[in-house]
Amino acid sequence: MVDTSDEWITERTGIKERRIADSSISTSDIALEASKKAIKDAGIKASEISMIIVGTITGDMPMPATACLLQKKLGIKDIPAFDINAACSGFLYGISIADGFIKSKSCKYILVVGAEMLSRFTDWKDRTTCVIFGDGAGAALLTGHNGKDGILSTHIHADGNFSDLIKIPAGGSQKPTSELTVRERMHFIKMKGNETFKIAVKTLGSLVEDTLKHNGITAQQLSLLIPHQANKRIISAVAERLGISEDKIMMNIEKYGNTSAASVPIALDEAVRSGRIKPKDYILLEAFGAGLTWASALIRW
Ligand code: UT7
């Protein structure tokens, strides 16, 4: 399709495979599959959920929110449901908001989902982006308890001065869909990858350091770092800066590519299911994406 090679993709990104959804399904469908697993593992009924938050930039349609479509598919009535447009940081923005509602005791169970169908917004003629993105969904159910463990802190950030680095230029109020925007392929993701890369390494390094400092723990006390899976080299550079060994990093980009808001919950789920997380472990989740946005959460499991 484009002038590239397996060698270039592997060396520059770490990606070997990706998942591309069948054209008959949409983002809320894969969000539903992930949500059903989270609800089952939590041992609750869907009707007990008091809020749904979906991090996505590739929802079923511009409106209504994919969270509302998911709510309908889960058969739940009259609870708040909304989407977060924070790109790759969307799941962690959702976790941060949910944490506030849980800790203020306004909600008992909150479903937080990261779900993307980036393949629908990928320009398969643009080699700088089409080798990177994949489809996927992950979900978590949050609830409160009386102990000290759980989510210790969340940190969410944005800097709109860098909004030009990753964007879908058309289809919004600035450039509504027209024959011209379609012809010029402006409904696809555009990314200045190399510039984004450099800012990501610097910003994520400081983010992780600040998150650890805020909680008075060292990088050595971390059991697992679960980063957004954008690029293997970004993940390794951040880990090297912090002195975190490779065995303490959750990496699955080789299987899924960059799934934006879905990458952190998918990696978290795989870490839990493969037994890499044990009670009392310190787990740090972090993400960086379009906006620019960046976010982290420190959890004592
Ligand atoms: O998800 C949240 C935010 N996103 C990110 O954090 C993504 C961050 N960026 C990246 O992951 C990397 O910048 C990319 C993987 C997108 C690109 O890697 P890079 O090492 O920054 O490459 P580059 O853009 O500096 O391009 C290097 C060369 C260029 O050729 P010349 O000018 O040196 O001749 C590109 O034209 O690689 C070329 N190139 C490709 N070659 C083969 C760009 N894409 C491809 C490709 N296949 N697919």
Side-chain angles (χ1 to χ4, degrees):
M1 295 156 96
V2 288
D3 178 18
T4 190
S5 65
D6 181 55
E7 191 190 1
W8 191 96
I9 300 169
T10 308
E11 275 177 17
R12 299 277 179 146
T13 70
I15 299 166
K16 294 301 283 182
E17 300 171 23
R18 287 172 290 158
R19 270 65 196 155
I20 306 290
D22 187 87
S23 61
S24 62
I25 60 171
S26 55
T27 306
S28 64
D29 293 316
I30 56 172
L32 176 66
E33 292 308 314
S35 301
K36 280 197 219 159
K37 286 186 187 168
I39 293 165
K40 185 169 174 257
D41 287 1
I44 65 161
K45 291 194 210 93
S47 56
E48 292 178 83
I49 294 170
S50 23
M51 180 182 285
I52 299 174
I53 306 174
V54 178
T56 188
I57 45 163
T58 55
D60 287 24
M61 43 188 124
M63 73 158 183
T66 297
C68 296
L69 303 172
L70 174 62
Q71 176 191 18
K72 180 182 169 191
K73 287 177 180 174
L74 284 168
I76 315 171
K77 283 188 183 159
D78 197 17
I79 57 159
F82 54 93
D83 291 354
I84 305 267
N85 180 338
C88 310
S89 313
F91 177 75
L92 289 178
Y93 265 61
I95 290 287
S96 183
I97 293 165
D99 188 45
F101 274 98
I102 298 270
K103 287 191 174 142
S104 68
K105 301 202 186 326
S106 311
C107 289
K108 188 165 181 203
Y109 295 111
I110 302 185
L111 176 65
V112 184
V113 184
E116 303 282 13
M117 282 211 180
L118 293 152
S119 63
R120 306 275 158 89
F121 298 85
T122 296
D123 184 348
W124 298 100
K125 291 186 174 171
D126 174 6
R127 71 174 184 171
T128 68
T129 53
C130 77
V131 299
I132 295 169
F133 299 110
D135 300 340
L141 246 167
L142 271 64
T143 192
H145 66 114
N146 293 324
K148 283 188 182 155
D149 299 341
I151 296 173
L152 302 181
S153 71
T154 62
H155 307 263
I156 55 176
H157 304 268
D159 188 345
N161 288 305
F162 296 101
S163 50
D164 248 8
L165 291 182
I166 317 171
K167 62 183 178 185
I168 298 174
S173 61
Q174 194 187 59
K175 282 193 179 65
T177 305
S178 67
E179 277 180 41
L180 179 77
T181 61
V182 173
R183 202 164 53 241
E184 296 196 347
R185 311 180 79 74
M186 291 165 85
H187 300 268
F188 295 125
I189 300 165
K190 315 280 176 206
M191 181 169 76
K192 293 179 185 160
N194 195 265
E195 265 179 77
T196 308
F197 187 104
K198 288 176 195 151
I199 301 172
V201 171
K202 206 167 145 234
T203 308
L204 287 170
S206 308
L207 174 68
V208 173
E209 277 169 356
D210 292 348
T211 307
L212 293 171
K213 200 170 157 201
H214 180 90
N215 290 282
I217 74 158
T218 64
Q220 281 59 47
Q221 284 174 273
L222 270 189
S223 297
L224 197 62
L225 178 69
I226 304 186
H228 165 48
Q229 311 284 313
N231 186 310
K232 189 175 188 248
R233 289 183 297 137
I234 295 180
I235 298 172
S236 299
V238 172
E240 197 182 308
R241 168 174 161 176
L242 298 161
I244 300 174
S245 53
E246 293 265 329
D247 60 312
K248 286 188 172 181
I249 300 162
M250 184 65 203
M251 188 113 70
N252 62 6
I253 187 168
E254 68 281 2
K255 279 194 286 183
Y256 307 110
N258 181 344
T259 58
S260 190
S263 96
V264 170
I266 292 172
L268 174 62
D269 182 64
E270 285 200 355
V272 171
R273 286 181 201 276
S274 63
R276 283 188 78 176
I277 301 181
K278 300 191 177 51
K280 302 283 177 197
D281 277 356
Y282 284 112
I283 313 296
L284 201 152
L285 316 180
E286 47 98 324
F288 180 90
L292 292 173
T293 60
W294 58 103
S296 66
L298 185 73
I299 303 174
R300 185 118 205 233
W301 201 255

